[in-house]
Amino acid sequence: MLPLLSDRVHIALTPEAVSGTRISRPFRSEVTEKHTVPCAPGSAPADWQAALDGLTELLSRMKRERADVTVILSNRYVRYALLPWSENLRHPHEQMAFARHRFASVHGEEAEKWEIRLSPGGPGEPRVASAVDPSLLESLRERFKGTRLRLNLIQPYLMAAYNLWRPRLNGGDCLFLAVENRRYACAAVRGGRWSTVRGGVFQGELANELPVILDRERVWGDFSDRPPVFVHAPEQPGFNPPPGQPWNVSCLRLPARRGFSPISDSRYGMAMTVS
């Protein structure tokens, strides 16, 4: 089957649940399947074995037709680092060695074994490095062997969300947040280029804690004033910017489509975060 005629399957892997959707293509772009498998709590926030067990169950429920698959990894399975531009790092292997050094300086010897990917970047542009436990990736790929689902892309949630909404950001200064269960990842963007990337947690309602989060991320991003804020929180469809606060906050809402409602199907919001 030609790639352009294949269905697309989007799967989100988190510590709490594995969710998946199938989208028909190319003519209807309709969501024809939706499945969610809850995961047993792991021993640590980054414990991914339960999620892989959930993935096996999810794949057993999906139809057997061919499809191209994108897997979105929760930010809790990913480490990020921002690499400043250096004219002394001209070759890919030098850039990769620099990225590995940055991770090791923060996370210790454990980082030596991580699988690292770098975002595209031209001369003078910083690059975002993401690191994942290679055992997770190996086990993830293994789950698709013997199926008719072709694993095309594994993408960290923050990068998937940012790529989806980048046209809305207008290439200026902003804070961009990708929110999941009681956690967020934030990219501070200056002149269309990332200046920091950080993660954090919140205990209560996002609307109540957002002003404190933004004040903190503004300091880390070294903004002299309050930049526009873009929040991607598809699993919290009731979220709205808190009233009476000084920030200009835009909520990025996934569009509805046949077979998918961003409100009633919010548990599939991460899986649908694909550009």
Side-chain angles (χ1 to χ4, degrees):
M1 181 180 293
L2 294 174
L4 289 178
L5 298 179
S6 299
D7 288 352
R8 292 167 291 164
V9 167
H10 301 163
I11 295 174
L13 225 65
T14 78
E16 295 80 26
V18 178
S19 58
T21 61
R22 178 186 286 266
I23 302 175
S24 63
R25 113 190 214 184
F27 304 113
R28 292 177 297 171
S29 191
E30 175 185 357
V31 178
T32 58
E33 278 191 271
K34 294 176 291 194
H35 304 282
T36 298
V37 178
C39 298
S43 59
D47 183 6
W48 41 261
Q49 186 58 56
L52 287 180
D53 294 341
L55 175 62
T56 300
E57 172 65 22
L58 179 89
L59 295 179
S60 72
R61 298 183 187 180
M62 302 205 76
K63 294 178 182 177
R64 298 293 184 254
E65 286 87 347
R66 292 183 184 275
D68 296 322
V69 180
T70 295
V71 172
I72 306 297
L73 293 179
S74 164
N75 288 319
R76 282 166 283 178
Y77 299 140
V78 185
R79 301 291 186 272
Y80 297 100
L82 191 68
L83 308 180
W85 162 257
S86 173
E87 61 181 11
N88 296 322
L89 303 175
R90 298 183 179 274
H91 300 288
H93 71 273
E94 294 174 328
Q95 297 167 354
M96 186 62 68
F98 179 48
R100 194 167 296 281
H101 171 74
R102 288 292 294 268
F103 281 118
S105 67
V106 175
H107 301 283
E109 295 182 359
E110 179 186 10
E112 293 294 332
K113 64 182 182 180
W114 290 347
E115 188 165 324
I116 298 173
R117 292 290 181 267
L118 303 180
S119 67
E125 295 182 353
R127 303 179 71 178
V128 182
S130 56
V132 180
D133 185 340
S135 298
L136 165 58
L137 299 179
E138 181 181 356
S139 299
L140 179 59
R141 297 178 181 118
E142 187 71 24
R143 295 303 194 277
F144 288 89
K145 292 182 179 179
T147 74
R148 304 188 73 190
L149 302 176
R150 182 171 59 184
L151 181 57
N152 278 352
L153 181 63
I154 303 172
Q155 198 169 26
Y157 184 37
L158 176 61
M159 305 307 297
Y162 184 79
N163 289 338
L164 175 65
W165 295 113
R166 178 163 32 189
R168 285 277 302 274
L169 308 185
N170 300 322
D173 294 354
C174 71
L175 292 173
F176 178 85
L177 279 72
V179 179
E180 50 184 302
N181 183 35
R182 303 296 183 190
R183 293 175 181 266
Y184 71 90
C186 178
V189 182
R190 302 177 65 89
R193 298 177 178 179
W194 290 34
S195 62
T196 62
V197 56
R198 288 172 23 87
V201 301
F202 56 95
Q203 301 301 322
E205 294 295 326
L206 176 61
N208 296 334
E209 298 198 26
L210 187 62
V212 174
I213 292 172
L214 297 180
D215 284 337
R216 181 169 59 241
E217 297 305 327
R218 171 192 173 189
V219 172
W220 280 100
D222 197 25
F223 291 104
S224 59
D225 54 6
R226 293 183 176 90
V229 177
F230 297 90
V231 178
H232 175 71
E235 295 172 318
Q236 300 187 35
F239 167 73
N240 284 297
Q245 49 84 31
W247 291 88
N248 176 17
V249 179
S250 298
C251 299
L252 301 170
R253 312 285 191 189
L254 291 173
R257 64 173 74 193
R258 188 173 181 182
F260 172 75
S261 164
I263 297 176
S264 60
D265 294 324
S266 59
R267 58 183 170 172
Y268 301 104
M270 185 183 294
M272 295 295 288
T273 303
V274 179
S275 55

